[in-house]
Amino acid sequence: MNVLLTGGAGYIGTHIAVELLDSGHGVVVVDNLSNSRAEAIRRVERITGRPVPRYVGDCADRELLERVFAEHRIDAAVHCAGLKAVGESTERPLLYYRNNLDALLTLCETMDAHGARSLVFSSSATVYGDPEQVPIGEDAPLGATNPYGATKLFGERVLADLAKAAPDWRIIALRYFNPVGAHPSGLIGEDPNGVPNNLFPYIAQVAAGRREKVLVYGDDYDTPDGTGVRDYLHVVDLARGHVAALERLGDAYGMRAYNLGSGHGTSVLEAIAAFERACGRQIPRQVVARRPGDIAVCYADPSAANRELGWKTTHTLDEACADVWRWQSANPNGFGD
Ligand SMILES: O=c1ccn([C@@H]2O[C@H](COP(=O)(O)OP(=O)(O)O[C@H]3O[C@H](CO)[C@H](O)[C@H](O)[C@H]3O)[C@@H](O)[C@H]2O)c(=O)[nH]1
């Protein structure tokens, strides 16, 4: 397949590009570089030895997408492009709705016009809101607790309606739990702008001496050690889930949603301990107040993806930590070097 990969210069997008290319597929990237670097795509080319045509621009730019379709045969798309910071989304909701929904609608309209009706959509476990029970299955109640989450939920709704109305569309939404890790080559990894929002890039920057200590957001949750529990999965496993989904699309019309998670919960303190094992250093931490909007426990029931996509996680959290440390040590300033 020749795959249009939106957001293909980002953390998750670059790892998907590598797995697609290594599986024999072609990749064309569209990315506006708002939270990513062109260097990341050059690294993908270095890892795979394959060229990656890329277009710098926005998915909501119809002319740009038309140019991509005019210049390449596109069989399917993986749509990762989007804004993703929960806190920022509560401060700038219109930006999030405009950006994330415009991009999805413009992409789907352009694909439809060109008869390319196979799509894998980057969704998120955030569509489950504050879950009533864990592990979370795909049939759990849906709800959004912030505008970012709402854009994922609405995105899924748009795609479900599209698949219902136009039955030759084949769509899979992948609900990511917490992707961590980096490519084992150490050439690509997460390179957040400014202060990291997420736990793992923050831990990595503390381990590297760029930040003083990890702030643990609350130790009074109803969990074994009181800190928040999440389902961390290696980004290479996550990326392979997209290859599995694309290859499954050929067998089924309509829209399906699958959880991509390990099925295991890990606390913040356990995550810090795993990283300490990987880097061989003590990681200073301080417990502070809960972060508003955080939930206590979130982990997946990934059995539908196991069964129907033939996908499961194969990397451990210790491997993910070792890979993050390799990436962080070799690229102390990310792709900015
Ligand atoms: O500096 C930090 C950062 C995080 N945490 C804690 O670490 C855990 C993981 O936090 P992340 O910010 O890494 O991840 P979240 O689970 O909060 O959020 C992620 O998963 C969500 C879905 O569940 C959304 O998709 C969201 O976009 C994505 O970042 C939470 O218990 C959080 O309280 C800290 O203690 N200190």
Side-chain angles (χ1 to χ4, degrees):
M1 270 179 271
N2 207 31
V3 180
L4 168 57
L5 176 58
T6 75
Y11 169 47
I12 293 172
T14 46
H15 289 84
I16 294 173
V18 168
E19 296 308 314
L20 282 170
L21 292 162
D22 281 352
S23 307
H25 300 293
V27 170
V28 178
V29 165
V30 172
D31 196 304
N32 67 9
L33 303 183
S34 70
N35 189 24
S36 58
R37 304 287 179 94
E39 171 63 16
I41 303 174
R42 289 193 280 276
R43 302 275 182 102
V44 169
E45 292 180 323
R46 226 169 106 189
I47 293 168
T48 60
R50 304 263 312 270
V52 179
R54 64 274 218 169
Y55 295 78
V56 176
D58 210 285
C59 293
D61 179 344
R62 199 177 296 271
E63 275 175 29
L64 176 73
L65 291 190
E66 283 296 342
R67 195 147 64 79
V68 173
F69 276 87
E71 293 174 4
H72 300 272
R73 188 200 82 231
I74 300 293
D75 303 304
V78 174
H79 182 45
C80 295
L83 297 172
K84 59 165 191 172
V86 173
E88 185 187 49
S89 82
T90 59
E91 286 152 25
R92 306 183 68 189
L94 296 180
L95 173 72
Y96 270 67
Y97 287 113
R98 167 67 68 194
N99 185 81
N100 290 2
L101 294 172
D102 243 8
L104 178 66
L105 295 173
T106 310
L107 175 67
C108 288
E109 285 167 353
T110 312
M111 291 176 70
D112 200 55
H114 290 269
R117 301 194 177 100
S118 296
L119 175 68
V120 174
F121 175 59
S122 277
S123 189
S124 165
T126 194
V127 301
Y128 298 117
D130 193 350
E132 282 165 16
Q133 57 180 55
V134 287
I136 307 172
E138 285 85 354
D139 52 0
L142 302 180
T145 54
N146 56 70
Y148 157 73
T151 67
K152 292 296 178 191
L153 197 55
F154 294 169
E156 286 198 13
R157 180 68 195 269
V158 166
L159 295 173
D161 285 341
L162 175 61
K164 227 184 282 170
D168 55 341
W169 272 87
R170 304 160 187 262
I171 301 169
I172 290 180
L174 296 176
R175 296 174 177 161
Y176 308 163
F177 281 70
N178 290 61
V180 296
H183 192 266
S185 63
L187 286 170
I188 55 172
E190 191 165 10
D191 180 22
N193 279 337
V195 183
N197 289 309
N198 296 114
L199 181 63
F200 266 80
Y202 206 104
I203 295 176
Q205 292 190 5
V206 172
R210 263 175 84 179
R211 300 191 189 275
E212 194 193 336
K213 59 193 171 196
V214 178
L215 301 178
V216 177
Y217 295 141
D219 66 353
D220 56 351
Y221 285 106
D222 185 14
T223 61
D225 65 20
T227 65
V229 167
R230 295 292 183 275
D231 185 336
Y232 299 100
L233 76 159
H234 198 296
V235 67
V236 169
D237 282 328
L238 181 83
R240 289 183 183 157
H242 294 70
V243 180
L246 274 171
E247 291 176 351
R248 172 80 171 77
L249 275 179
D251 302 334
Y253 290 106
M255 151 129 177
R256 290 296 312 265
Y258 295 100
N259 289 338
L260 293 188
S262 70
H264 302 290
T266 301
S267 74
V268 175
L269 296 181
E270 288 169 337
I272 294 173
F275 208 91
E276 285 180 329
R277 287 194 292 277
C279 69
R281 304 178 180 188
Q282 290 257 310
I283 299 186
R285 86 287 309 266
Q286 182 187 348
V287 177
V288 296
R290 292 181 179 193
R291 183 169 63 178
D294 270 357
I295 55 179
V297 182
C298 177
Y299 58 93
D301 171 358
S303 56
N306 299 166
R307 207 173 45 243
E308 294 176 28
L309 302 180
W311 173 89
K312 63 177 172 48
T313 56
T314 59
H315 294 81
T316 62
L317 186 60
D318 282 328
E319 288 171 311
C321 292
D323 290 332
V324 172
W325 185 235
R326 188 177 306 109
W327 153 253
Q328 176 73 46
S329 313
N331 307 269
N333 298 309
F335 294 110
D337 283 330

